[in-house]
Amino acid sequence: MTAREAGRAVAEDARRFFAKSFGGDPTLVVSAAGRVNLIGEHVDYNGGIALPIAIQRRTAVAVRVRDGARVTHINSGGTGGVLRIDHGKLARRRKWTDYPSGVLDQLVGVGINVPGLDVAVASDIPSGSGLSSSAALEVAFDFAVRSALGLDAEPVALALECQRAERQFVGVPCGAMDQLSAACGEQGHAMLMQFAPVQMTPVPFAERVLVVDTATPRSLRASAYSERVAECQTALAAIQRLAPETATLASASLEQVEAAEMPDVPRRRARHVVSECQRVRRVAEALASGAGFPGAEANASHASLRDDYDCSTPELDWIVEHVRPVRGIAGARLTGAGWGGCAIVFGEASALEALTESLPPAYERAIGRAPRTWLVGADDGVRIEA
Ligand code: GLA
Protein backbone atom coordinates (compact mmCIF):
# COMPACT_ATOMS: atom_id res chain seq x y z
CA MET A 1 0.00 0.00 0.00
CA THR A 2 1.38 3.45 -0.88
CA ALA A 3 1.33 6.29 1.64
CA ARG A 4 -1.53 7.92 -0.27
CA GLU A 5 -3.59 4.73 -0.15
CA ALA A 6 -2.92 4.28 3.57
CA GLY A 7 -4.12 7.84 4.20
CA ARG A 8 -7.18 7.22 2.09
CA ALA A 9 -8.05 4.10 4.08
CA VAL A 10 -8.09 6.11 7.34
CA ALA A 11 -10.14 8.84 5.64
CA GLU A 12 -12.59 6.18 4.45
CA ASP A 13 -12.92 4.92 8.03
CA ALA A 14 -13.70 8.45 9.23
CA ARG A 15 -16.32 8.80 6.50
CA ARG A 16 -17.87 5.46 7.48
CA PHE A 17 -17.94 6.33 11.21
CA PHE A 18 -19.49 9.65 10.22
CA ALA A 19 -22.31 8.05 8.20
CA LYS A 20 -22.96 5.56 11.00
CA SER A 21 -23.10 8.21 13.72
CA PHE A 22 -24.80 11.12 11.97
CA GLY A 23 -26.16 9.86 8.62
CA GLY A 24 -25.16 11.26 5.24
CA ASP A 25 -21.79 12.61 4.16
CA PRO A 26 -19.37 14.99 5.86
CA THR A 27 -18.60 18.30 4.15
CA LEU A 28 -14.90 17.63 4.39
CA VAL A 29 -12.41 14.99 5.48
CA VAL A 30 -8.95 16.13 6.59
CA SER A 31 -6.02 13.99 7.71
CA ALA A 32 -2.82 14.86 9.58
CA ALA A 33 0.28 12.76 10.17
CA GLY A 34 1.96 11.29 13.21
CA ARG A 35 5.68 12.05 13.49
CA VAL A 36 9.03 10.51 14.15
CA ASN A 37 11.76 12.89 15.20
CA LEU A 38 14.99 11.81 13.46
CA ILE A 39 17.13 13.91 15.81
CA GLY A 40 16.87 17.06 17.96
CA GLU A 41 15.15 15.96 21.16
CA HIS A 42 13.99 18.31 23.93
CA VAL A 43 15.29 21.30 22.04
CA ASP A 44 12.05 22.80 20.68
CA TYR A 45 11.05 24.44 23.98
CA ASN A 46 14.63 25.71 24.28
CA GLY A 47 14.68 27.60 21.00
CA GLY A 48 16.78 24.95 19.26
CA ILE A 49 16.57 23.01 15.99
CA ALA A 50 15.11 19.56 15.27
CA LEU A 51 14.65 17.27 12.29
CA PRO A 52 11.34 15.36 12.37
CA ILE A 53 9.46 13.58 9.60
CA ALA A 54 5.69 13.29 9.26
CA ILE A 55 4.95 9.56 8.83
CA GLN A 56 2.44 7.42 6.91
CA ARG A 57 0.33 6.94 10.01
CA ARG A 58 -2.53 9.38 10.07
CA THR A 59 -5.56 10.67 11.90
CA ALA A 60 -8.56 11.63 9.79
CA VAL A 61 -11.35 13.98 10.86
CA ALA A 62 -14.67 14.15 9.00
CA VAL A 63 -16.73 17.25 9.74
CA ARG A 64 -20.10 18.83 8.91
CA VAL A 65 -21.61 22.03 10.28
CA ARG A 66 -24.95 21.45 12.05
CA ASP A 67 -27.68 23.95 12.72
CA GLY A 68 -28.73 24.65 16.27
CA ALA A 69 -26.84 24.57 19.56
CA ARG A 70 -23.10 25.37 19.67
CA VAL A 71 -22.19 21.84 20.58
CA THR A 72 -19.78 19.48 18.86
CA HIS A 73 -20.99 15.90 18.55
CA ILE A 74 -17.90 13.76 18.16
CA ASN A 75 -17.29 10.08 17.62
CA SER A 76 -14.00 8.24 17.42
CA GLY A 77 -13.75 4.78 15.89
CA GLY A 78 -11.90 3.50 18.91
CA THR A 79 -14.52 4.53 21.45
CA GLY A 80 -18.18 3.84 22.03
CA GLY A 81 -20.85 6.40 21.31
CA VAL A 82 -21.09 10.02 20.27
CA LEU A 83 -19.70 12.46 22.85
CA ARG A 84 -20.85 16.07 23.31
CA ILE A 85 -18.55 19.06 23.66
CA ASP A 86 -20.46 22.20 24.64
CA HIS A 87 -18.59 25.22 23.23
CA GLY A 88 -19.92 27.37 26.07
CA LYS A 89 -18.66 25.03 28.83
CA LEU A 90 -15.29 23.80 27.64
CA ALA A 91 -13.48 21.96 30.43
CA ARG A 92 -10.61 19.52 30.68
CA ARG A 93 -11.85 15.95 31.26
CA ARG A 94 -8.58 14.04 31.03
CA LYS A 95 -9.59 12.07 27.98
CA TRP A 96 -9.04 12.19 24.22
CA THR A 97 -11.73 14.82 23.67
CA ASP A 98 -9.49 17.31 25.54
CA TYR A 99 -7.55 17.76 22.27
CA PRO A 100 -10.49 18.89 20.12
CA SER A 101 -11.87 20.77 23.14
CA GLY A 102 -8.55 22.61 23.50
CA VAL A 103 -8.69 23.62 19.83
CA LEU A 104 -12.30 24.82 20.21
CA ASP A 105 -11.17 26.78 23.26
CA GLN A 106 -8.55 28.55 21.12
CA LEU A 107 -11.05 29.28 18.34
CA VAL A 108 -13.66 30.61 20.76
CA GLY A 109 -10.89 32.56 22.52
CA VAL A 110 -10.05 34.53 19.38
CA GLY A 111 -13.71 35.40 18.92
CA ILE A 112 -14.79 32.77 16.40
CA ASN A 113 -18.39 31.81 16.90
CA VAL A 114 -18.02 28.10 16.20
CA PRO A 115 -21.42 26.63 15.25
CA GLY A 116 -22.58 23.12 16.18
CA LEU A 117 -20.47 20.45 14.45
CA ASP A 118 -20.78 16.75 13.68
CA VAL A 119 -17.35 15.14 13.74
CA ALA A 120 -16.03 11.61 13.25
CA VAL A 121 -12.41 10.62 13.90
CA ALA A 122 -10.39 7.63 12.68
CA SER A 123 -6.68 6.95 13.17
CA ASP A 124 -3.98 4.39 12.61
CA ILE A 125 -1.41 6.21 14.76
CA PRO A 126 -0.85 4.07 17.84
CA SER A 127 -1.72 6.25 20.83
CA GLY A 128 0.58 6.46 23.81
CA SER A 129 3.66 5.40 21.82
CA GLY A 130 5.24 8.81 21.40
CA LEU A 131 4.31 9.13 17.70
CA SER A 132 2.27 12.29 18.37
CA SER A 133 -1.23 10.97 17.88
CA SER A 134 -2.48 13.90 19.96
CA ALA A 135 -0.81 16.55 17.77
CA ALA A 136 -2.21 14.84 14.65
CA LEU A 137 -5.70 14.94 16.15
CA GLU A 138 -5.39 18.62 17.11
CA VAL A 139 -4.06 19.61 13.70
CA ALA A 140 -6.55 17.54 11.66
CA PHE A 141 -9.44 18.82 13.77
CA ASP A 142 -8.36 22.46 13.64
CA PHE A 143 -7.73 22.33 9.89
CA ALA A 144 -11.10 20.60 9.27
CA VAL A 145 -13.06 23.08 11.38
CA ARG A 146 -11.31 26.16 10.02
CA SER A 147 -11.76 24.92 6.43
CA ALA A 148 -15.42 24.01 6.98
CA LEU A 149 -16.05 27.54 8.31
CA GLY A 150 -14.13 29.19 5.48
CA LEU A 151 -11.43 30.50 7.88
CA ASP A 152 -7.72 30.85 7.25
CA ALA A 153 -5.84 27.57 7.83
CA GLU A 154 -2.21 28.49 7.14
CA PRO A 155 -0.23 25.45 8.44
CA VAL A 156 2.36 27.20 10.65
CA ALA A 157 -0.17 29.48 12.35
CA LEU A 158 -2.53 26.55 12.75
CA ALA A 159 0.22 24.38 14.31
CA LEU A 160 1.05 27.14 16.81
CA GLU A 161 -2.64 27.47 17.66
CA CYS A 162 -2.72 23.71 18.37
CA GLN A 163 0.42 24.01 20.51
CA ARG A 164 -1.31 26.72 22.57
CA ALA A 165 -4.31 24.39 22.93
CA GLU A 166 -2.03 21.70 24.31
CA ARG A 167 -0.19 24.06 26.66
CA GLN A 168 -3.13 26.10 27.93
CA PHE A 169 -6.00 23.61 27.87
CA VAL A 170 -4.46 20.14 28.10
CA GLY A 171 -1.76 21.48 30.42
CA VAL A 172 1.43 20.06 28.85
CA PRO A 173 4.22 22.71 28.51
CA CYS A 174 5.28 21.23 25.14
CA GLY A 175 7.28 22.81 22.34
CA ALA A 176 5.91 23.17 18.82
CA MET A 177 7.69 20.31 17.06
CA ASP A 178 4.85 17.77 17.03
CA GLN A 179 2.15 20.15 15.80
CA LEU A 180 4.46 21.72 13.20
CA SER A 181 5.36 18.28 11.92
CA ALA A 182 1.71 17.16 11.72
CA ALA A 183 0.85 20.35 9.83
CA CYS A 184 3.91 21.03 7.65
CA GLY A 185 5.55 17.67 6.86
CA GLU A 186 6.52 16.99 3.26
CA GLN A 187 6.66 13.64 1.55
CA GLY A 188 10.26 12.52 0.90
CA HIS A 189 11.67 15.22 3.21
CA ALA A 190 12.67 15.67 6.80
CA MET A 191 11.82 19.14 8.11
CA LEU A 192 14.72 21.08 9.56
CA MET A 193 12.83 23.14 12.14
CA GLN A 194 14.01 26.21 13.91
CA PHE A 195 11.77 27.26 16.78
CA ALA A 196 12.72 30.79 17.81
CA PRO A 197 11.53 32.18 15.45
CA VAL A 198 9.79 29.31 13.63
CA GLN A 199 11.37 28.54 10.30
CA MET A 200 11.33 25.34 8.26
CA THR A 201 13.65 23.97 5.60
CA PRO A 202 12.81 20.67 3.90
CA VAL A 203 15.81 18.33 3.65
CA PRO A 204 15.60 15.38 1.21
CA PHE A 205 15.05 12.14 3.14
CA ALA A 206 14.15 9.07 1.10
CA GLU A 207 15.21 6.46 3.69
CA ARG A 208 12.88 4.44 5.80
CA VAL A 209 13.50 4.12 9.52
CA LEU A 210 12.48 1.32 11.80
CA VAL A 211 10.33 2.36 14.75
CA VAL A 212 10.24 0.00 17.72
CA ASP A 213 7.66 0.52 20.43
CA THR A 214 8.84 -0.47 23.91
CA ALA A 215 5.25 -1.32 24.89
CA THR A 216 5.93 0.12 28.35
CA PRO A 217 3.59 2.41 30.31
CA ARG A 218 4.59 6.07 30.30
CA SER A 219 2.82 7.30 33.38
CA LEU A 220 5.79 9.40 34.52
CA ARG A 221 6.14 11.25 31.25
CA ALA A 222 3.95 14.30 31.83
CA SER A 223 5.44 15.21 35.22
CA ALA A 224 9.03 14.43 34.17
CA TYR A 225 8.59 16.54 31.02
CA SER A 226 7.44 19.57 33.03
CA GLU A 227 10.36 19.06 35.40
CA ARG A 228 12.83 19.14 32.47
CA VAL A 229 11.26 22.34 31.11
CA ALA A 230 11.79 23.95 34.54
CA GLU A 231 15.38 22.66 34.82
CA CYS A 232 16.20 24.15 31.43
CA GLN A 233 14.79 27.49 32.61
CA THR A 234 17.08 27.30 35.65
CA ALA A 235 20.06 26.61 33.40
CA LEU A 236 19.20 29.51 31.09
CA ALA A 237 18.86 31.90 34.04
CA ALA A 238 22.33 30.84 35.27
CA ILE A 239 23.87 31.39 31.83
CA GLN A 240 22.15 34.77 31.53
CA ARG A 241 23.82 35.91 34.76
CA LEU A 242 27.11 35.29 32.93
CA ALA A 243 26.00 36.36 29.43
CA PRO A 244 22.81 38.47 29.60
CA GLU A 245 22.43 38.57 25.82
CA THR A 246 21.72 34.81 25.67
CA ALA A 247 18.07 34.61 24.59
CA THR A 248 17.54 30.85 24.56
CA LEU A 249 19.30 27.87 26.10
CA ALA A 250 19.97 26.46 22.63
CA SER A 251 21.91 29.57 21.65
CA ALA A 252 24.40 29.18 24.52
CA SER A 253 27.84 27.69 23.86
CA LEU A 254 29.18 24.59 25.60
CA GLU A 255 31.84 26.83 27.18
CA GLN A 256 29.11 29.01 28.73
CA VAL A 257 27.29 25.92 29.98
CA GLU A 258 30.45 24.78 31.76
CA ALA A 259 31.41 28.25 33.05
CA ALA A 260 28.04 29.36 34.46
CA GLU A 261 27.37 28.73 38.13
CA MET A 262 24.61 26.16 38.58
CA PRO A 263 24.03 22.75 40.12
CA ASP A 264 24.94 19.55 38.29
CA VAL A 265 21.41 18.68 37.12
CA PRO A 266 20.56 21.85 35.15
CA ARG A 267 24.13 21.86 33.79
CA ARG A 268 23.67 18.36 32.37
CA ARG A 269 20.29 19.33 30.86
CA ALA A 270 21.91 22.34 29.20
CA ARG A 271 24.83 20.27 27.94
CA HIS A 272 22.34 17.96 26.22
CA VAL A 273 20.39 20.80 24.61
CA VAL A 274 23.45 22.61 23.24
CA SER A 275 25.22 19.46 22.00
CA GLU A 276 22.00 18.07 20.49
CA CYS A 277 21.58 21.17 18.32
CA GLN A 278 25.14 20.70 17.04
CA ARG A 279 24.27 17.11 16.12
CA VAL A 280 21.11 18.23 14.29
CA ARG A 281 23.15 20.68 12.25
CA ARG A 282 25.67 18.00 11.26
CA VAL A 283 22.92 15.53 10.32
CA ALA A 284 21.08 18.12 8.21
CA GLU A 285 24.34 18.91 6.38
CA ALA A 286 25.02 15.21 5.73
CA LEU A 287 21.50 14.60 4.39
CA ALA A 288 21.58 17.73 2.24
CA SER A 289 24.84 16.49 0.69
CA GLY A 290 23.13 13.23 -0.28
CA ALA A 291 24.75 11.02 2.37
CA GLY A 292 22.73 8.50 4.39
CA PHE A 293 21.71 9.29 7.96
CA PRO A 294 24.94 9.45 10.01
CA GLY A 295 24.24 6.75 12.58
CA ALA A 296 27.01 7.90 14.94
CA GLU A 297 25.05 11.11 15.57
CA ALA A 298 21.98 9.05 16.50
CA ASN A 299 24.07 7.01 18.92
CA ALA A 300 25.56 10.15 20.47
CA SER A 301 22.08 11.67 20.78
CA HIS A 302 20.87 8.61 22.65
CA ALA A 303 23.83 8.68 25.03
CA SER A 304 23.20 12.34 25.76
CA LEU A 305 19.49 11.76 26.39
CA ARG A 306 20.31 8.81 28.63
CA ASP A 307 23.20 10.29 30.60
CA ASP A 308 22.58 14.06 30.64
CA TYR A 309 18.82 14.34 30.13
CA ASP A 310 17.85 11.20 32.11
CA CYS A 311 14.88 10.40 29.89
CA SER A 312 15.79 6.94 28.62
CA THR A 313 14.60 3.66 30.12
CA PRO A 314 16.19 0.19 30.38
CA GLU A 315 13.89 -0.98 27.56
CA LEU A 316 14.95 1.84 25.21
CA ASP A 317 18.60 1.22 26.10
CA TRP A 318 18.13 -2.49 25.43
CA ILE A 319 16.76 -1.84 21.93
CA VAL A 320 19.52 0.56 20.86
CA GLU A 321 22.27 -1.67 22.26
CA HIS A 322 20.78 -4.77 20.69
CA VAL A 323 20.52 -3.37 17.16
CA ARG A 324 23.78 -1.39 16.89
CA PRO A 325 26.13 -4.35 16.30
CA VAL A 326 23.85 -5.80 13.59
CA ARG A 327 25.42 -5.70 10.11
CA GLY A 328 23.91 -2.94 7.96
CA ILE A 329 22.64 -0.94 10.94
CA ALA A 330 24.00 2.62 11.15
CA GLY A 331 22.72 3.69 14.56
CA ALA A 332 19.74 3.97 16.90
CA ARG A 333 18.24 6.29 19.49
CA LEU A 334 15.12 6.94 21.48
CA THR A 335 12.68 9.27 19.72
CA GLY A 336 10.14 11.69 21.17
CA ALA A 337 10.04 12.67 24.82
CA GLY A 338 11.44 9.38 26.17
CA TRP A 339 10.40 7.69 29.45
CA GLY A 340 9.02 4.82 27.35
CA GLY A 341 7.60 5.26 23.87
CA CYS A 342 9.67 4.29 20.83
CA ALA A 343 13.23 3.85 19.64
CA ILE A 344 14.23 4.39 15.99
CA VAL A 345 16.83 2.50 14.01
CA PHE A 346 18.74 3.77 10.94
CA GLY A 347 20.45 1.57 8.36
CA GLU A 348 20.21 -0.34 5.11
CA ALA A 349 16.69 -1.26 4.03
CA SER A 350 17.36 -5.02 4.07
CA ALA A 351 18.88 -4.87 7.57
CA LEU A 352 15.88 -2.93 8.91
CA GLU A 353 13.54 -5.36 7.19
CA ALA A 354 15.31 -8.32 8.82
CA LEU A 355 15.05 -6.66 12.25
CA THR A 356 11.26 -6.46 11.98
CA GLU A 357 11.39 -10.29 12.14
CA SER A 358 14.22 -10.92 14.59
CA LEU A 359 13.85 -8.07 17.07
CA PRO A 360 10.34 -8.61 18.52
CA PRO A 361 10.96 -12.19 19.77
CA ALA A 362 14.39 -11.22 21.17
CA TYR A 363 12.89 -8.22 22.99
CA GLU A 364 10.07 -10.34 24.34
CA ARG A 365 12.54 -12.91 25.70
CA ALA A 366 14.66 -10.22 27.35
CA ILE A 367 11.99 -7.78 28.55
CA GLY A 368 8.81 -9.85 28.75
CA ARG A 369 6.69 -7.56 26.57
CA ALA A 370 5.73 -7.84 22.90
CA PRO A 371 6.88 -4.75 20.98
CA ARG A 372 5.31 -3.48 17.78
CA THR A 373 7.52 -2.32 14.92
CA TRP A 374 6.87 -0.07 11.92
CA LEU A 375 8.96 0.83 8.89
CA VAL A 376 8.16 4.45 8.09
CA GLY A 377 9.27 7.15 5.68
CA ALA A 378 8.54 10.87 5.30
CA ASP A 379 4.96 11.78 4.35
CA ASP A 380 2.86 14.93 3.99
CA GLY A 381 1.60 16.80 7.02
CA VAL A 382 -2.02 17.91 6.97
CA ARG A 383 -4.09 17.53 3.83
CA ILE A 384 -7.65 17.43 2.59
CA GLU A 385 -8.60 13.90 1.55
CA ALA A 386 -10.59 14.05 -1.70
C1 GLA B 1 7.27 15.79 23.12
C2 GLA B 1 6.84 17.25 22.99
C3 GLA B 1 7.67 17.96 21.93
C4 GLA B 1 9.17 17.76 22.17
C5 GLA B 1 9.49 16.29 22.40
C6 GLA B 1 10.92 16.05 22.80
O1 GLA B 1 6.96 15.08 21.95
O2 GLA B 1 5.47 17.34 22.64
O3 GLA B 1 7.34 19.34 21.91
O4 GLA B 1 9.62 18.55 23.24
O5 GLA B 1 8.66 15.72 23.40
O6 GLA B 1 11.78 16.40 21.78
Side-chain angles (χ1 to χ4, degrees):
M1 211 184 329
T2 65
R4 261 281 162 202
E5 284 161 356
R8 256 188 234 128
V10 178
E12 251 342 288
D13 284 346
R15 209 182 288 277
R16 205 155 37 79
F17 298 152
F18 188 94
K20 209 167 116 196
S21 306
F22 308 112
D25 289 326
T27 321
L28 183 80
V29 183
V30 165
S31 81
R35 69 99 188 85
V36 161
N37 188 17
L38 300 181
I39 193 159
E41 224 62 83
H42 290 284
V43 297
D44 56 353
Y45 53 86
N46 287 304
I49 51 173
L51 195 65
I53 57 171
I55 60 172
Q56 301 97 347
R57 294 255 158 186
R58 309 187 71 83
T59 294
V61 170
V63 68
R64 188 174 62 199
V65 175
R66 208 188 46 244
D67 286 337
R70 295 191 200 296
V71 173
T72 288
H73 293 170
I74 191 164
N75 168 276
S76 162
T79 66
V82 172
L83 301 170
R84 288 167 51 88
I85 304 174
D86 188 332
H87 306 178
K89 293 186 211 143
L90 294 167
R92 187 161 71 147
R93 311 219 183 274
R94 294 182 189 282
K95 55 183 185 193
W96 71 272
T97 46
D98 284 351
Y99 302 108
S101 297
V103 170
L104 288 167
D105 182 56
Q106 289 296 319
L107 296 172
V108 171
V110 295
I112 298 166
N113 222 336
V114 185
L117 302 168
D118 289 332
V119 178
V121 180
S123 182
D124 65 359
I125 308 173
S127 69
S129 297
L131 302 181
S132 289
S133 58
S134 51
L137 174 57
E138 290 158 356
V139 167
F141 180 79
D142 199 359
F143 196 95
V145 173
R146 281 182 162 273
S147 304
L149 300 181
L151 301 168
D152 190 32
E154 190 277 314
V156 172
L158 185 127
L160 297 177
E161 180 165 79
C162 292
Q163 181 205 11
R164 285 194 296 277
E166 181 119 9
R167 292 175 69 99
Q168 295 166 9
F169 192 88
V170 183
V172 182
C174 65
M177 174 174 72
D178 303 345
Q179 290 81 7
L180 283 169
S181 185
C184 308
E186 284 183 23
Q187 205 183 5
H189 293 84
M191 302 305 280
L192 180 60
M193 288 183 185
Q194 208 173 294
F195 297 100
V198 171
Q199 207 178 315
M200 261 170 297
T201 315
V203 181
F205 187 72
E207 286 178 47
R208 292 202 293 168
V209 296
L210 176 65
V211 181
V212 186
D213 181 16
T214 56
T216 47
R218 44 162 212 167
S219 48
L220 275 179
R221 189 179 293 171
S223 59
Y225 189 91
S226 307
E227 195 179 281
R228 291 297 173 280
V229 173
E231 288 160 352
C232 287
Q233 282 159 356
T234 303
L236 175 60
I239 292 167
Q240 283 172 335
R241 283 195 288 277
L242 189 80
E245 70 287 358
T246 313
T248 62
L249 187 53
S251 66
S253 66
L254 280 176
E255 292 71 30
Q256 287 171 329
V257 170
E258 299 308 329
E261 266 191 50
M262 63 179 123
D264 176 58
V265 167
R267 192 187 313 281
R268 287 194 289 118
R269 307 304 185 235
R271 201 181 289 146
H272 165 74
V273 169
V274 174
S275 65
E276 183 80 347
C277 291
Q278 296 175 344
R279 287 184 282 274
V280 174
R281 225 164 273 127
R282 288 193 293 265
V283 169
E285 277 163 22
L287 293 179
S289 78
F293 192 100
E297 302 290 356
N299 295 345
S301 168
H302 186 83
S304 176
L305 289 160
R306 181 193 59 209
D307 302 336
D308 279 339
Y309 222 71
D310 292 308
C311 66
S312 189
T313 61
E315 294 82 8
L316 288 164
D317 294 344
W318 187 94
I319 294 169
V320 301
E321 277 152 32
H322 181 86
V323 300
R324 279 177 192 161
V326 174
R327 187 194 294 266
I329 294 305
R333 56 180 291 273
L334 72 84
T335 187
W339 301 289
C342 293
I344 49 172
V345 188
F346 300 93
E348 292 165 15
S350 57
L352 297 179
E353 198 82 56
L355 274 179
T356 63
E357 300 287 325
S358 63
L359 185 64
Y363 181 86
E364 200 169 346
R365 273 195 304 278
I367 306 288
R369 292 171 189 271
R372 291 170 295 176
T373 62
W374 303 278
L375 273 169
V376 301
D379 197 15
D380 293 327
V382 74
R383 68 180 179 223
I384 292 179
E385 300 284 350

